[in-house]
Amino acid sequence: MSSTPALELRGLTKTYGGKLTALTDVNLTIRPGEIFALLGPNGAGKTTLIGSVCGLVKKTSGKILVFGNDLDEDPVRPRYEVGLVPQEINFDPFFSVAESLYIQQGYYGQERDEARVKEVLTALNLQNKADSLTRALSGGMKRRLLIAKALVHKPRLVFLDEPTAGVDVELRRDLWTYVRKLASEGTTIVLTTHYLEEAEELADRVGVINEGKLLLVEEKKALLRRLGEKRLIVTFTGPVTELPESVRKTGATLAADGKTLTYPEREGSAPAGDILRTLYTQGLPVGDVETRHSRLEDILIDILRGKPAAAAAGAA
């Protein structure tokens, strides 16, 4: 696989009317073949960033390179390598599903490729709708067609902008499977989603953007390890008046009624197993043990709230 980045943003900035700043000096490198989740609240700048790359938004300043090609020097040809699944439904209701895909191939300067259209329809479980008019499709089927349109020209870089918003669980799982397949074949995927379990399931790396500024870019596993925690909750069969000193020093806390101990295990802290071992050794009346792991959603909330421990790990 080529070492040339699939996408490079250098100082990307977008302002509207000189007053509203949608993107501020965004620097980002996305590797070929990775699944990159771009996360942030509504209005954070995600769609503006994607639109700048795809030619839907005119940037104010900065550089955009797609597979090493500067879009200022050639704004058209590099975008043939890009596919976009937008948030909005945007196809002609008077064509059939298959016709929509043939037209999409033509937009990208490709000959009619029936084998490719059949492949995409089958992958997205649309093969039985090939001859149906697009206006007759259900909401979920229309969303599948949007995804098919973005992929039919075999792009090497695909933006999925809230691809599963408002769709059923079956489509979401089908899409996850297909995204993994695309990535395994070398396609670079940039995903925005408010379903954070989707990002947690799929992403190799995560970027967090808010108010137009890129706050953090980090490997997903490293981020979960660095900022996440495993919370140990021990319920006692009777009230405990005092914890052993070694347990108190770990930061474990005892509920006011003495019946519950809570311990947040973080990177570099004492293992939860040591806490349990001490409790059993000291003969405390342990009745039940539960552990809860942080999710990506918990970490994103901490980052957006500006907690010091959630400092950026670098936008690379």
Side-chain angles (χ1 to χ4, degrees):
M1 186 178 294
S2 172
S3 59
T4 302
L7 177 65
E8 281 186 89
L9 306 178
R10 301 175 183 170
L12 181 63
T13 298
K14 173 61 183 177
T15 60
Y16 292 94
K19 296 180 180 179
L20 175 63
T21 301
L23 294 173
T24 303
D25 194 26
V26 174
N27 295 284
L28 176 65
T29 299
I30 295 178
R31 306 162 187 160
E34 77 171 326
I35 301 175
F36 185 91
L38 183 64
L39 306 177
N42 290 330
K46 303 185 297 295
T47 299
T48 301
L49 187 154
I50 291 171
S52 298
V53 177
C54 295
L56 304 176
V57 173
K58 184 176 181 181
K59 65 182 173 63
T60 301
S61 61
K63 289 286 186 181
I64 303 172
L65 289 85
V66 175
F67 295 103
N69 299 296
D70 189 335
L71 294 185
D72 286 339
E73 298 176 3
D74 185 352
V76 178
R77 189 166 300 278
R79 290 189 168 112
Y80 284 3
E81 303 278 7
V82 179
L84 168 64
V85 179
Q87 294 183 30
E88 300 81 12
I89 304 296
N90 64 351
F91 42 74
D92 194 314
F94 299 103
F95 291 110
S96 72
V97 169
E99 286 170 340
S100 294
L101 296 182
Y102 293 134
I103 291 169
Q104 190 76 0
Q105 287 178 327
Y107 285 154
Y108 285 87
Q110 297 182 357
E111 297 292 332
R112 179 184 175 110
D113 186 343
E114 295 184 8
R116 175 60 178 172
V117 167
K118 183 178 180 181
E119 175 189 339
V120 172
L121 289 175
T122 301
L124 293 166
N125 199 22
L126 280 169
Q127 64 271 31
N128 295 330
K129 301 291 185 180
D131 298 323
S132 300
L133 293 179
T134 59
R135 67 174 180 267
L137 297 179
S138 67
M141 289 298 175
K142 287 178 179 177
R143 181 63 59 178
R144 290 174 190 260
L145 179 55
L146 280 183
I147 297 167
K149 284 182 63 178
L151 300 175
V152 72
H153 62 289
K154 299 181 181 179
R156 291 197 290 158
L157 171 62
V158 177
F159 290 96
L160 304 179
D161 193 7
E162 301 286 349
T164 59
V167 303
D168 56 56
V169 174
E170 181 184 8
L171 172 55
R172 189 169 295 133
R173 293 291 176 176
D174 286 349
L175 180 60
W176 291 5
T177 299
Y178 196 45
V179 164
R180 290 192 190 95
K181 178 177 182 293
L182 289 171
S184 70
E185 294 170 349
T187 303
T188 305
I189 308 290
V190 179
L191 169 72
T192 77
T193 180
H194 286 296
Y195 297 105
L196 294 187
E197 72 275 14
E198 194 163 68
E200 190 166 342
E201 179 76 21
L202 294 173
D204 300 308
R205 286 195 302 154
V206 171
V208 178
I209 188 170
N210 192 28
E211 298 180 345
K213 298 178 181 179
L214 195 61
L215 305 180
L216 175 148
V217 175
E218 193 167 350
E219 299 286 341
K220 178 193 67 184
K221 291 181 179 178
L223 180 63
L224 288 168
R225 185 172 59 249
R226 183 170 70 87
L227 298 182
E229 67 178 26
K230 179 172 69 176
R231 186 169 291 270
L232 172 69
I233 302 170
V234 178
T235 302
F236 300 111
T237 57
V240 172
T241 58
E242 187 177 10
L243 294 174
E245 183 180 0
S246 61
V247 173
R248 290 201 310 272
K249 287 181 177 179
T250 65
T253 58
L254 187 63
D257 62 5
K259 293 182 178 181
T260 306
L261 173 146
T262 303
Y263 172 65
E265 179 186 330
R266 300 184 179 91
E267 186 176 25
S269 64
D274 290 354
I275 306 293
L276 280 176
R277 191 173 300 110
T278 301
L279 296 179
Y280 283 118
T281 301
Q282 296 293 322
L284 274 69
V286 175
D288 185 61
V289 176
E290 178 185 359
T291 57
R292 300 175 187 171
H293 291 264
S294 295
R295 305 300 301 269
L296 188 58
E297 180 176 359
D298 304 318
I299 293 171
L300 178 62
I301 290 171
D302 283 348
I303 293 170
L304 294 177
R305 288 176 176 172
K307 290 195 175 182

